[in-house]
Amino acid sequence: MEEDGLPLRLDALTVTYGEHRAVDRLSLVVRPGEIYGLLGSNGAGKTSTIKSIVGLVRPTAGRVRVFGADAVTESLRVKERLGYVPETSLLYDALSPREFLEFVASVRRLDAGTATARTQNYVRAFRLEAEFEEPILTLSNGTRQKVLLIAALLHQPPLLVLDEPLNSLDPRSVRIMKELLVRYVAGGDRGILFSTHTMEVAEQLCHRVGILDRGVLRGEGTLASLREKLAGGDATLEEVFLRLTDESEGVRAAVDALESHG
Amino acid sequence: MSWREAFRLSHVAFTELSFQAIYAFRQGNLMPPGPARQVVARARRRVLQSKAVVSAMLALLALGVAYALRDAPLIASAFGTSLPLGIFRAGLLTGLFSLDVAFLWWTGMQILPTFLASGVFPVLEPLPIEDRTLSRAAGLLYLRLFDLPAITVAFVTPLLLGIALGPWVGLAALPGAFATVAFALALSLLTGRFFVRRVQGSRGGGGSAVVRWLYLVLWLVPAFAMFGFVTAAPAFFALLARVSASGPSIGGDLLLAAYPYPFAAVTALAAGGPGSLDLDATGALVLAASVAGYGALAVWSVLWLFLSVRRVGLVPATLPRAGAAPVVRLHPGTASLAVLRKDLRIASRTPGYAFLILLPILDAFALGLWTYATAPSAESALALALAAVTTAALLATFFGPAFFAIEVFAYSYGRTLPLSDRSLLTGKVALISLMYLVASTVVLGLTLVRVFDPIVFVAFVVAELPGVVAAALLELGILFRRARARGLPITNLYAGAWLAVLVSIPGLLVAALPLLAFQIERPGGEAIGLLVMALVAVGELAVCLPYAFGRGSG
């Protein structure tokens, strides 16, 4: 294993489902101390990229490395180093949050003191006390999302992979999460890959963004550099996004068509 | 018009339900590879296969009883029973209808959690469809879950009885068969509601877990009837003999009023003629009233089903209750222990899995009680206790592969955790071994009173343990290899009984070999028998351990 100090490195990652190429030779890195925003429309390949990082999809070609460890040949090592929040909160419905977090803490080999102290902090912050012993089956989507966030943060991993993590959260929890993520990488040794299609969130949080369109990385850089290159100094990320994905004209045409059909 | 529309809607909903039953996508399993059309077709085919397996078992049961009824005079004389032929026939038919109810109910128990969690009704409800059509669609969907097995009980059973004993007997069995199906389906829905409220929605924590397991035991006792009836059959026929010997009596009338005996009695009357049950006027009146009453109740059950299925499908599982905030404290353990605890916790809120854990233990309890109550000497008590442990070992081994299916829950999340195959396998094997040891301890506890020296018993349990572990390792090792090659297999009764049964065959052979060695060597002395048994079991473990944990197993 070659330890390269980079939280995440994708080299020409390709994911295909039958004839469909969901991700096409995608290369990017998440640097230490960085929140990297992966942006794209629905079906752009964000979730397929993330699934191949966390071991749910085997790459058709290319490599995924987490701190130098290969996601295919050293999958357990990779899984130990990351915390993951999936797009949909499909959890063990028959367990309570306590039972679920106890399972995760056991698999992550945390001792009781550390696991309890961290869980107490997060449960208090997200106001989860009342639901802590209820079966997950009975919880709202937002509460399930909070449970998943706690599970991802419980072992304080050096890489967080978050697929639309703020979906379904209430405004208070969204604010807490944003602050938490900024502080999480402030030490300079951890990294976060953050997938979203909410441009405002990406603008507020991400140090760099990559824009995916039909599996291909159309542009990458800091928001300032992308603005400079594409849309002029005062453009919003949304305008940059639409320019890069060639959708500016498409959006106008779609709205015109909707109006003309009443 | 609305029935046609309802049938069309139920067809669409059933496709979704088949998909969920097989692939458990809503419960967090990964989407299977391949074009959607093929995946859906595969799901429908697998559901059909499973229903065919259950139906074939029901038909075989009916065939066996039909020919036993035809040859009743021969069988009765072979067993030297003093029962009048009509009552003997009624007893056999009571057994058949009881087993049918239990089997259909058990099938319902396997599918109901998926049915309630499928979210089919909340999708249909906001659409502009007539209220009546939606209720009918819900009722039809529910009936489709049971279609082949229900048709087998309602029509194939009377047909087989008719072929064996004459058309009038077949016709006489029709009301009983219909009522059996109606009651089983209604019981499934009622217990499904109960399950959602009291078991699936129960809070975490030690106290709640104990209450939940007690509820599950209570609930599973009737489903245990399938197994229990076979054990209790001699006692039931003894009861019939006592009642018939005393002539017309209140006891006899009570029996005529207890379902399913009245329907069995009517069928037996059709087979043997009016005098075959030796009924007086009161008895005839009780019989007629019981058949009419249960018949009306069966019709009402069907109507209730059509009205209730939709409502039950729409009610949210349970809502979180307001209560005192619990103390936030975690007690992590090793990864294997975490798998074991997770499986037990999931089983405590999932009746299909709870049944698999409780059956060997309940069976051991029943046989242990029987041993305690009937064994006249320490020697015979020991023989019965060893038989009970043998059954527990074989049952734990037989049901073992089904626990692999728990992994479909949240599979798409669970696979992202750093959980090695070794830890997962160890956790599952520990669960199967635990079932065997708990069942054995129950037998030991109940027979200790009669077996003054438990050393042989304990040695027997310990000698067989490596065999049970080896069998579990072999079965789960096969499933792990298959999972890596072809995706995660689902092995609950409704969705893949055939796979669980196939994998169980080599496992059962491995578990049975040490038991067989003991039986062969026992005449030379118990100590030698136990030694050979232990050697065989340890030898099996030495072979199965590297197979399960070695290269290629992951």
Side-chain angles (χ1 to χ4, degrees):
Chain A
M1 192 206 76
E2 30 175 321
E3 185 83 42
D4 64 4
L6 282 175
L8 179 67
R9 175 194 283 275
L10 307 183
D11 292 314
L13 173 70
T14 302
V15 179
T16 56
Y17 302 111
E19 297 291 300
H20 175 64
R21 186 170 284 235
V23 181
D24 192 4
R25 286 166 293 165
L26 173 64
S27 296
L28 60 84
V29 295
V30 175
R31 299 171 187 145
E34 183 178 66
I35 302 178
Y36 186 102
L38 197 57
L39 310 183
S41 315
N42 297 330
K46 303 189 297 291
T47 296
S48 291
T49 302
I50 285 176
K51 281 184 173 174
S52 58
I53 296 168
V54 300
L56 287 174
V57 169
R58 201 184 169 93
T60 314
R63 281 184 84 183
V64 176
R65 278 176 289 174
V66 174
F67 288 97
D70 188 281
V72 175
T73 58
E74 299 166 280
S75 64
L76 275 186
R77 228 182 137 78
V78 166
K79 288 171 185 178
E80 277 165 5
R81 291 170 171 207
L82 59 83
Y84 166 56
V85 175
E87 184 187 21
T88 45
S89 48
L90 295 169
L91 287 168
Y92 296 96
D93 277 353
L95 300 183
S96 68
R98 178 183 61 77
E99 292 164 346
F100 171 65
L101 292 171
E102 207 162 77
F103 174 66
V104 172
S106 303
V107 172
R108 299 251 178 230
R109 285 176 285 191
L110 294 177
D111 62 83
T114 309
T116 299
R118 287 179 186 163
T119 305
Q120 280 172 345
N121 286 338
Y122 289 125
V123 164
R124 210 172 299 132
F126 288 125
R127 292 181 179 158
L128 254 181
E129 292 94 338
E131 290 97 350
F132 199 60
E133 288 291 357
E134 298 294 335
I136 289 172
L137 173 81
T138 66
L139 305 183
S140 68
N141 281 340
T143 309
R144 285 162 170 250
Q145 193 75 357
K146 290 175 191 174
V147 175
L148 275 170
L149 283 164
I150 297 174
L153 290 162
L154 204 55
H155 60 300
Q156 302 282 288
L159 174 66
L160 277 176
V161 179
L162 311 174
D163 196 357
E164 308 277 4
L166 306 182
N167 282 357
S168 333
L169 289 186
D170 55 76
R172 180 181 175 278
S173 302
V174 168
R175 187 59 183 263
I176 290 173
M177 268 315 291
K178 283 179 183 170
E179 301 242 342
L180 192 68
L181 294 179
V182 170
R183 287 188 202 181
Y184 197 77
V185 294
D189 52 351
R190 296 168 176 161
I192 297 175
L193 180 74
F194 187 100
S195 143
T196 183
H197 45 225
T198 313
M199 299 299 145
E200 293 80 3
V201 173
E203 271 189 292
Q204 286 166 14
L205 274 184
C206 301
H207 299 100
R208 287 191 306 139
V209 295
I211 294 176
L212 262 185
D213 180 40
R214 279 160 281 185
V216 176
L217 191 66
R218 300 283 178 202
E220 187 191 43
T222 61
L223 183 56
S225 70
L226 287 172
R227 273 182 187 144
E228 200 60 46
K229 205 155 66 183
L230 287 157
D234 57 349
T236 62
L237 182 56
E238 186 176 276
E239 284 162 337
V240 171
F241 177 83
L242 291 174
R243 283 283 300 276
L244 274 172
T245 54
D246 293 327
E247 288 290 356
S248 299
E249 285 305 313
V251 168
R252 211 165 293 131
V255 174
D256 288 346
L258 283 172
E259 263 194 342
S260 67
H261 287 96
Chain B
M1 186 64 190
S2 81
W3 275 109
R4 188 183 296 175
E5 179 69 1
F7 186 78
R8 200 180 62 80
L9 287 172
S10 76
H11 181 73
V12 174
F14 186 70
T15 303
E16 165 67 12
L17 208 60
S18 304
F19 178 72
Q20 292 297 340
I22 298 297
Y23 294 111
F25 189 51
R26 268 182 209 274
Q27 289 166 309
N29 197 8
L30 283 175
M31 183 71 182
R37 195 177 288 272
Q38 273 177 26
V39 170
V40 170
R42 197 159 59 227
R44 289 179 63 95
R45 204 165 51 242
R46 289 235 203 123
V47 166
L48 190 66
Q49 280 169 354
S50 295
K51 284 197 284 194
V53 169
V54 174
S55 307
M57 288 175 79
L58 288 166
L60 274 175
L61 190 68
L63 191 70
V65 170
Y67 282 91
L69 287 171
R70 198 189 64 176
D71 300 332
L74 275 176
I75 294 170
S77 69
F79 282 93
T81 173
S82 56
L83 272 178
L85 212 52
I87 294 181
F88 182 67
R89 281 192 175 123
L92 278 177
L93 283 159
T94 302
L96 174 65
F97 288 140
S98 304
L99 287 171
D100 283 344
V101 168
F103 220 122
L104 286 174
W105 187 5
W106 193 40
T107 308
M109 210 166 71
Q110 295 285 328
I111 188 64
L112 257 160
T114 309
F115 176 72
L116 294 171
S118 66
V120 165
F121 298 110
V123 171
L124 291 178
E125 207 66 22
L127 299 175
I129 302 168
E130 265 182 63
D131 230 37
R132 200 174 48 170
T133 309
L134 277 175
S135 293
R136 286 175 178 176
L140 286 171
L141 173 63
Y142 188 71
L143 290 183
R144 290 182 73 145
L145 298 177
F146 298 87
D147 52 10
L148 275 184
I151 288 169
T152 305
V153 172
F155 299 107
V156 177
T157 298
L159 184 73
L160 290 171
L161 291 172
I163 291 170
L165 294 151
W168 290 112
V169 179
L171 275 176
L174 262 176
F178 166 77
T180 297
V181 172
F183 292 157
L185 267 56
L187 270 174
S188 289
L189 194 65
L190 269 175
T191 46
R193 272 170 64 174
F194 170 82
F195 152 73
V196 167
R197 285 181 191 162
R198 297 297 170 92
V199 177
Q200 205 172 34
S202 147
R203 287 169 68 94
S208 303
V210 171
V211 174
R212 211 158 52 234
W213 278 106
L214 285 177
Y215 271 133
L216 282 166
V217 169
L218 273 181
W219 186 33
L220 294 180
V221 165
F224 186 66
M226 258 187 302
F227 214 72
F229 190 84
V230 178
T231 315
F236 176 66
F237 279 103
L239 172 79
L240 286 182
R242 268 202 310 277
V243 170
S244 78
S246 64
S249 64
I250 294 178
D253 293 342
L254 282 174
L255 188 65
L256 284 170
Y259 171 83
Y261 191 78
F263 291 112
V266 167
T267 314
L269 276 175
S276 60
L277 284 181
D278 193 22
L279 292 176
D280 62 354
T282 317
L285 200 66
V286 171
L287 180 61
S290 302
V291 168
Y294 284 122
L297 188 64
V299 172
W300 182 84
S301 298
V302 173
L303 296 174
W304 175 81
L305 273 177
F306 270 86
L307 288 173
S308 307
V309 173
R310 180 176 160 213
R311 200 175 59 236
V312 172
L314 279 173
V315 173
T318 47
L319 297 169
R321 288 157 289 260
V327 179
V328 175
R329 188 166 294 144
L330 301 187
H331 300 284
T334 62
S336 303
L337 182 64
V339 171
L340 173 66
R341 283 202 300 204
K342 169 187 70 92
D343 285 1
L344 282 172
R345 284 166 170 167
I346 289 177
S348 76
R349 293 193 181 95
T350 316
Y353 292 113
F355 184 84
L356 301 182
I357 291 175
L358 289 173
L359 184 62
I361 296 167
L362 284 176
D363 173 64
F365 181 77
L367 287 172
L369 211 60
W370 183 257
T371 308
Y372 171 76
T374 61
S377 66
E379 202 174 299
S380 61
L382 179 66
L384 278 170
L386 297 189
V389 173
T390 301
T391 317
L394 297 178
L395 279 177
T397 310
F398 180 69
F399 290 136
F403 293 109
F404 193 70
I406 287 189
E407 291 312 303
V408 302
F409 295 122
Y411 188 54
S412 57
Y413 183 81
R415 258 188 64 188
T416 69
L417 295 173
L419 178 64
S420 66
D421 284 357
R422 185 178 289 254
S423 300
L424 190 58
L425 194 60
T426 308
K428 304 277 177 201
V429 172
L431 176 62
I432 294 168
S433 309
L434 190 69
M435 282 161 55
Y436 165 70
L437 288 174
V438 170
S440 301
T441 309
V442 168
V443 180
L444 176 64
L446 282 163
T447 53
L448 209 52
V449 184
R450 289 189 186 273
V451 184
F452 304 110
D453 177 11
I455 290 174
V456 174
F457 178 87
V458 173
F460 184 86
V461 171
V462 173
E464 172 61 6
L465 182 62
V468 171
V469 174
L473 283 169
L474 178 65
E475 292 168 344
L476 293 166
I478 294 171
L479 287 173
F480 263 82
R481 281 175 158 78
R482 189 184 185 277
R484 247 183 305 281
R486 300 170 59 185
L488 205 65
I490 315 278
T491 51
N492 70 47
L493 177 77
Y494 194 84
W498 60 275
L499 182 63
V501 170
L502 275 183
V503 175
S504 294
I505 293 170
L508 282 173
L509 288 175
V510 168
L513 209 58
L515 300 165
L516 204 64
F518 176 74
Q519 290 303 328
I520 292 169
E521 296 297 329
R522 197 182 187 183
E526 264 164 0
I528 292 175
L530 287 168
L531 184 69
V532 173
M533 180 183 178
L535 284 174
V536 171
V538 170
E540 287 179 333
L541 187 59
V543 173
C544 292
L545 208 62
Y547 168 76
F549 287 129
R551 198 171 275 278
S553 74

